[in-house]
């Protein structure tokens, strides 16, 4: 199992948008914001500010991310680390209003 550290913007019931990080193991990790107890869709984010969504791994192989909202892809990124044990980061930071 390969570890990947995922950093993302969460949405709280009070309308705040803190950045959270977690390390998950996979070959595949799926993060659905609405599935977590601390993520809410109660307040519309009218600011148009960027939503953070990155993934970092230090194991060889492929790493990719997709930020989707409302049934469409907002942004995507991919990287491939062929055998080197070096950090690889993909960045899917974006906002569907942009």
């Amino acid at each position: 199992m390969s570890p990947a550290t995922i950093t993302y913007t969460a949405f709280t019931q009070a309308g705040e948008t803190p950045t959270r990080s977690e390390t998950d193991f996979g070959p595949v990790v799926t993060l659905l914001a609405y599935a977590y107890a601390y993520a809410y869709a109660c307040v519309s984010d009218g600011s148009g500010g960027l939503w953070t969504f990155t993934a970092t791994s230090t194991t060889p192989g492929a790493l990719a991310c997709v930020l989707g909202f409302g049934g469409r892809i907002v942004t995507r990124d991919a990287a491939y680390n062929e055998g080197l044990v070096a950090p690889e980061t993909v960045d899917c930071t974006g906002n569907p209003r942009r």
Side-chain angles (χ1 to χ4, degrees), residues 8-59:
Y8 58 94
T9 299
F11 300 90
T12 68
Q13 192 170 17
E16 299 165 339
T17 54
T19 301
R20 313 251 186 201
S21 286
E22 61 185 65
T23 299
D24 292 306
F25 294 83
V28 176
V29 175
T30 302
L31 179 66
L32 300 174
Y34 62 83
Y36 289 87
Y38 49 76
Y40 296 87
C42 299
V43 179
S44 173
D45 179 21
S47 70
L50 293 176
W51 301 349
T52 300
F53 189 69
T54 62
T56 302
S57 181
T58 58
T59 58

Side-chain angles (χ1 to χ4, degrees), residues 3-5 54-64 77-91:
T5 301
T54 62
T56 302
S57 181
T58 58
T59 58
L63 184 64
D77 193 17
Y80 185 74
N81 186 345
E82 189 173 339
L84 300 174
V85 181
E88 193 70 65
T89 299
V90 290
D91 189 349

Side-chain angles (χ1 to χ4, degrees), residues 67-80:
L67 175 63
F69 182 83
R72 67 175 250 226
I73 293 175
V74 176
T75 187
R76 64 184 182 263
D77 193 17
Y80 185 74

